[in-house]
Every structure is written in C-alpha cells, then in structure tokens.
Amino acid sequence: MTTPLAEVLDGQHAAELRRAARALLKQPLLLAHGRHAEEFRLVRRHASELREWFDRNTGWPLHVDADTARLRKIPGVLDDATHPAREAARAATPFTRRRYVLLCLALAALERGESQIALGRLADQVVLDATDPGLVASGIQFTLDRRDERLDLAAVVRLLLSLGVLRRVAGDEDAYVSGAGDVLYDVERRVLAGLLATRRGPSTVQAEATADRLAQLVAETALDSDDLRFRAMRQTLTRRLLDDPVLYYDELSDAELSYLTRQRGFLTARVADLTGLVPEIRAEGIAMVDPEDDLTDVRMPEQGTHGHITLLLAEYLARAGGPVTTDQLAQRVRELAAEHGTFWAKNAREPGMEGELVEQAVARLAALGLVSRSADGAEPRPALARYAVGAPVVLPPGNVRMPAQRKAGQA
C-alpha cells in the first residue's frame, strides 16, 4: 500500500523542523552566507514554529531576519565554567580571564566604530578603554606592546571572525602579532547587535558579586503567581535537559524536583519530539542521549593520546567510588604511561607532564557531568559508573550464566 501524501509531507516537515532546531542548538548564531547557509535557510523556513517552541519551553528568544538567525540562549546553570569560549584554531585553547576582558573591550569598541576597522586601530581603542578606573582597580591593564598580549587580541579577533562579526578584507593576524603588518576588517553590525543574550543591559546591573550580577542580567519579571513560577521552573528544567550532559536530581531545589517528578514524562517527550534526543532516566537523574552524536562540544570517548588517558582515568575514578586527589591521579597517569606509553604521543611520556594530562582529563569529565571538581582533585558522579570495568570472570566450559538485570540508576 502506498503512503498517503499528507503523511509524507508531515514526515518531511517534522524532519526539517528537527534539523532546524538541532542547527540552532549547535550554532545559536547562524548567518545567511558561509558554512551554515543551508541550516540558516531551514531555520528561516520554520522560524514561526521554532520561535513559539523555544519561547514557551525555554524562554529563549529567537530572532530571524534576512541575514541572521539568533537564538539567545540563557544557560540553566549560570555559574557553569566547564564550557568556555575557545580559540578558533585547531588547539581550541580555552579563553583566559584576560581574553574575556579583551573580548568585551573589543566588542564595545566595534559597537562605537565604523563599518570598517583595522586591527591596529582596534588595539589602540582597547588600550584606551582599559584605562577606565574601574578596570584599573580590578587589576586589568593592557598595553599590547608584548607579544603575548597581541596573541590574545588575535585570538579574540579570530573568534569574532568565526562568529561572523568581522570579515577579513586584507592582511593577516600573524603579521600583526609579529609587528610586521596590519589587518583590515568589515564589521557586520547586524551580527554584532545580536550577540548579547541578556534580558537587561549590563550597565544597569548594580550588584557587586559575580553570581549576583549574572542573576540580574537574566532575571525575569516578578514571579508573583503560581502559573509564572511553574513556567519559570519548566523553562529552567528544559534548558538543562537541552544544554547539560546530565540533569542530576540532587542539584535541584525541592520545588524543582517536585515539579520534575510530576512533569518528567511531559518535559522529556517535548524535548525528544523536537530534537530527536532520547531520554535516559535513572535513579540519580536524566540524560538526553543523542543517537546522532553531534549535539555536543565535548565527546567521550575520544581518539588520540588525551582521549585514551581520559578513558583510563574515567575507569580509575569509577572504580574508586569516592574523591580522588590530584596527586593520586598523577600517580595513576605515571603507572598508565609505563603500561600504555608506547601508544601515546612522545610529549605525553615526558616527566612532569602528569599534571597537565590530569587537568585536561578532569576538565573533560567535568564538562560531561561525569565528575565534580574539588580544590584538590575530583569526585565521581553517578553517570561515570558506565565507564567502570569489572574484573573478568572465567567460567568452566558449558557453564554460562545470563547477566543480572541492572537496576535503575546503574550504568
């Protein structure tokens, strides 16, 4: 029997809507030109449905025009530092505090500037703005005379190039860093105007503590009714299901946990219908698993030396069952190097590299919600149990047992 045309069209529509939603979750800023042009066209075609879904379920505004599509995502956890901005290069080095400050100063200078700007001119404006008494009092100082400072500014510019805020017209950042040349850029003002994802202007925030400032930036109007409070909880939980690798119950308030317990099926079904993510519900929390494995900026397992070390340390931490110090992890890396070092890159086997290798591994595991970090080490979280490897059991020939049924919450 042939499938009715209406069902075929409905299936195509649902598939396109899913692709568009996933494109926005992966790249919340899409441009009509460049490597994401096809995804932009999909988002623009389904803008009305996407705007309604995100507004209702997450509170994230979606703006779409002829040139850009911008999903203004607000994280469910404001103080999560496990997914930093990264240099737009192969090494993908995380941004330091200095680079973040340079990024903000560069954006402010571009907002006030013309439609074209040279990197040298941008650097002069950043140095001038850095003399603000408030920045000086907080220990911020830039001269951009040193090579490392120019490297930081070049990293900021490359990030803005990757976002589409700038377009290179002539020149090269490496020449600027070495002091041998300059670079000219076009400023895409409409893209620049859409970068800020806050509910109020940063200049209107009066709080002193960083956590309070972040909270005020994204604070909603007064939640003075049960309907508004329930909506806020639904949106926060949906954001975490979409953005966080694992939503642990022990990280929720009593009110949020109670709401999630009652509405878990509804919330996970809504996310699954739009995105194709599959809910994995355990005793300790919920993970929305991606069968296509492309809605993440951090993967596990990973190839290469660092990926191998991360997997081996994940197994070690899973078997430990409790907090492990940095020194213990470094010692374990030394033991692993003696066992597996012939398969690792040469620099990973050099004495003294253990600290860096441990830091990279723990940072990846923390970003995936598999461990929590402490001042001196890491503690495994329940989801890490899937990387625990039990001791092999050799059975006599013909004596085969079926594995025991796993309980909810066990990996």
Side-chain angles (χ1 to χ4, degrees):
M1 296 178 62
T2 59
T3 304
L5 178 60
E7 291 186 21
V8 174
L9 294 177
D10 287 345
Q12 291 177 346
H13 176 85
E16 280 195 357
L17 183 64
R18 178 172 295 178
R19 286 171 55 200
R22 291 173 65 91
L24 281 172
L25 292 172
K26 287 189 290 187
Q27 193 74 22
L29 175 59
L30 296 170
L31 306 183
H33 54 80
R35 66 184 188 276
H36 298 299
E38 176 60 29
E39 290 89 341
F40 169 81
R41 285 191 288 271
L42 273 177
V43 169
R44 193 177 185 196
R45 187 180 308 155
H46 299 282
S48 179
E49 289 178 87
L50 291 167
R51 186 180 296 112
E52 190 278 332
W53 195 96
F54 282 114
D55 180 67
R56 175 177 175 79
N57 293 283
T58 65
W60 294 339
L62 173 62
H63 173 79
V64 181
D65 58 32
D67 300 310
T68 62
R70 176 69 166 116
L71 181 63
R72 291 185 170 91
K73 294 175 65 177
I74 296 170
V77 180
L78 298 178
D79 60 351
D80 180 9
T82 61
H83 298 271
R86 293 182 179 274
E87 186 176 354
R90 185 173 183 180
T93 306
F95 267 35
T96 60
R97 178 173 182 261
R98 183 164 70 181
R99 288 187 177 183
Y100 278 119
V101 174
L102 279 172
L103 174 61
C104 293
L105 292 175
L107 289 171
L110 292 172
E111 181 66 32
R112 299 191 304 268
E114 303 296 331
S115 58
Q116 278 194 334
I117 192 168
L119 183 49
R121 171 62 180 158
L122 178 61
D124 291 341
Q125 189 61 55
V126 165
V127 170
L128 179 62
D129 292 344
T131 60
D132 178 272
L135 290 176
V136 173
S138 63
I140 302 299
Q141 184 179 8
F142 295 116
T143 63
L144 296 179
D145 292 332
R146 304 198 313 268
R147 177 180 172 84
D148 62 326
E149 289 187 335
R150 295 196 299 274
L151 279 169
D152 284 341
L153 182 59
V156 166
V157 166
R158 290 187 179 114
L159 176 64
L160 296 177
L161 285 166
S162 70
L163 292 172
V165 175
L166 297 176
R167 284 193 191 181
R168 190 185 295 110
V169 176
D172 180 79
E173 289 80 28
D174 291 336
Y176 166 78
V177 171
S178 62
D182 208 341
V183 196
L184 180 64
Y185 305 102
D186 284 336
V187 181
E188 299 293 334
R189 306 203 66 80
R190 297 183 74 171
V191 181
L192 174 63
L195 279 188
L196 194 61
T198 63
R199 291 196 172 96
R200 59 186 294 185
S203 61
T204 67
V205 174
Q206 303 299 321
E208 294 295 332
T210 300
D212 294 336
R213 291 180 65 84
L214 290 173
Q216 288 189 19
L217 280 172
V218 300
E220 297 189 64
T221 54
L223 303 177
D224 52 5
S225 71
D226 288 341
D227 285 345
L228 290 177
R229 284 189 286 271
F230 289 148
R231 186 193 68 175
M233 279 190 284
R234 181 181 71 244
Q235 292 178 345
T236 298
L237 291 169
T238 304
R239 291 173 198 161
R240 297 196 62 178
L241 289 171
L242 286 169
D243 260 2
D244 297 351
V246 185
L247 173 60
Y248 288 111
Y249 299 143
D250 62 9
E251 296 175 344
L252 303 178
S253 66
D254 291 342
E256 289 173 333
L257 182 57
S258 176
Y259 183 86
L260 179 60
T261 302
R262 297 194 309 269
Q263 301 293 330
R264 181 177 63 193
F266 170 77
L267 292 177
T268 55
R270 293 280 288 180
V271 172
D273 288 344
L274 180 73
T275 65
L277 298 175
V278 179
E280 182 177 306
I281 301 171
R282 300 296 180 95
E284 302 88 0
I286 304 172
M288 299 300 296
V289 180
D290 182 18
E292 299 181 30
D293 191 32
D294 66 351
L295 278 185
T296 181
D297 56 346
V298 181
R299 285 179 171 79
M300 181 79 172
E302 190 64 88
Q303 295 180 347
T305 298
H306 293 297
H308 189 206
I309 293 172
T310 302
L311 280 171
L312 293 171
L313 287 183
E315 178 190 344
Y316 173 69
L317 282 161
R319 285 190 285 106
V324 178
T325 67
T326 302
D327 289 342
Q328 288 174 316
L329 290 170
Q331 175 59 34
R332 181 56 181 160
V333 169
R334 285 189 285 270
E335 295 169 358
L336 293 170
E339 185 177 354
H340 304 283
T342 55
F343 303 103
W344 294 358
K346 182 178 179 180
N347 63 342
R349 305 194 301 268
E350 295 177 356
M353 280 294 294
E354 298 87 359
E356 181 178 336
L357 295 171
V358 166
E359 170 60 28
Q360 292 180 353
V362 172
R364 180 183 293 271
L365 295 173
L368 289 166
L370 300 175
V371 303
S372 56
R373 307 194 68 168
S374 62
D376 185 35
E379 182 172 358
R381 298 290 279 148
L384 189 67
R386 68 181 60 231
Y387 294 99
V389 179
V393 177
V394 180
L395 299 175
N399 187 6
V400 179
R401 295 184 303 180
M402 295 299 291
Q405 181 67 36
R406 293 183 298 182
K407 298 179 181 179
Q410 292 181 328

